[in-house]
Amino acid sequence: MSRKIWLDGKIVDEAEAKISVFDHGLLYGDGIFEGIRFYEGRVFRLPGHIERLYQSARVLLLKMPWTPEEICQATLETIRANGLRDGYIRLVVTRGVGDLGLNPYLCPTPSMFIIASGISLYPEELYEKGLEVVTCSTRRPTPASLSPQVKSLNYLNNVMAKIEALKAGAKEGLMLNEQGYVAECTGDNVFIVKKGEVLTPPVSDGSLDGITRQVIFELCAELGTTIREASLTRYDLYTADESFLTGTAAETIPMVKLDNREIGDGIPGPVSLRLIEAFQKLVRSEGTEVGVS
Ligand code: PMP
């Protein structure tokens, strides 16, 4: 079945959803995006995702021609048009059509499109067995260049790291910052459990401020599990009792091996499993109603 795409205010068939070759999103990666999940007819943390989209836009001086409420409604409309109850939304805003040459001021109108689709990032069995990850040599860019907190269309850095991981036979790659501290994985935030405490790098070490990451902080508070931010090195990961990754697409998944070394006992640990279970329950118990068309 052909997917229905929301493109600049209209729902169109996938085949008609086209962007100009002069769009600076394509020519220069000049644009931003969000990845959002919906479960059982409810969109998880929609306001948080839209807020982050606006923050990314603010940093890039990308003038959004839609209000947050309009984007929220467009997102729900796209899900309804595709008749989906569970899935993933990709919301993309590009600088729009301009001339050849970087000047963004020559692009008068940004474009926005919304895709609603199914997604399965990793094979189901890995959610039970855990994921093997390798450290990539590609580093996260420093905040002095492009802030890793901007969810921009410039993901080449992550793509290069992903290629390294895949070539090494792993499904995900760990990325360090310029100083050698752990930043995140190519599309997920990283957590370890050590002596009963949950630790994750501060965003200032080079990661995206993940919405799922924020949820883990909330769940730890609810479950009475200590959690704090700490700069981590690979030493900390190699000697951790447990580890897991979080992301909208990946959800929460145990990481059981790094660089061919077992983390803890090499199986998903009890603290990770408790958090993953609480996460799966939470995502099905709240959210913005998609509604019926
Ligand atoms: N880091 C990067 C680089 C990402 O692209 C993402 C989103 N896929 C994440 C972390 C996780 O963020 P979130 O939980 O908001 O999806």
Side-chain angles (χ1 to χ4, degrees), residues 33-36 49 52 88 90 121 140 148 151 155 158 175 184-190 206-214 246-251:
F33 75 102
E34 271 301 321
I36 312 169
H49 281 284
R52 188 169 67 184
Y88 177 87
R90 176 60 56 91
L121 208 59
R140 287 299 279 151
K151 208 160 162 58
Y155 253 52
N158 306 55
M175 300 184 77
E184 60 179 344
C185 285
T186 68
D188 318 308
N189 290 110
V190 60
S207 67
L208 185 77
D209 191 0
I211 306 274
T212 323
R213 178 183 185 275
Q214 292 162 16
T246 69
T248 296
E251 303 183 293

Side-chain angles (χ1 to χ4, degrees), residues 237-288:
L237 271 63
Y238 292 155
T239 59
D241 301 323
E242 307 176 25
S243 179
F244 61 93
L245 310 179
T246 69
T248 296
E251 303 183 293
T252 43
I253 184 163
M255 169 164 99
V256 292
K257 257 190 187 177
L258 177 64
D259 302 334
N260 265 311
R261 299 155 180 251
E262 286 189 346
I263 296 176
D265 297 329
I267 54 167
V271 177
S272 311
L273 290 176
R274 216 175 311 129
L275 283 166
I276 291 169
E277 194 192 332
F279 174 81
Q280 288 299 339
K281 226 163 140 186
L282 179 75
V283 295
R284 286 168 181 80
S285 68
E286 61 157 73
T288 310

Side-chain angles (χ1 to χ4, degrees), residues 15-26:
E16 266 101 64
K18 290 184 180 144
I19 285 277
S20 163
V21 292
F22 289 99
D23 192 304
H24 279 209
L26 179 61

Side-chain angles (χ1 to χ4, degrees), residues 139-150:
R139 301 289 171 105
R140 287 299 279 151
T142 74
S145 54
L146 177 61
S147 169
Q149 290 197 61
V150 176

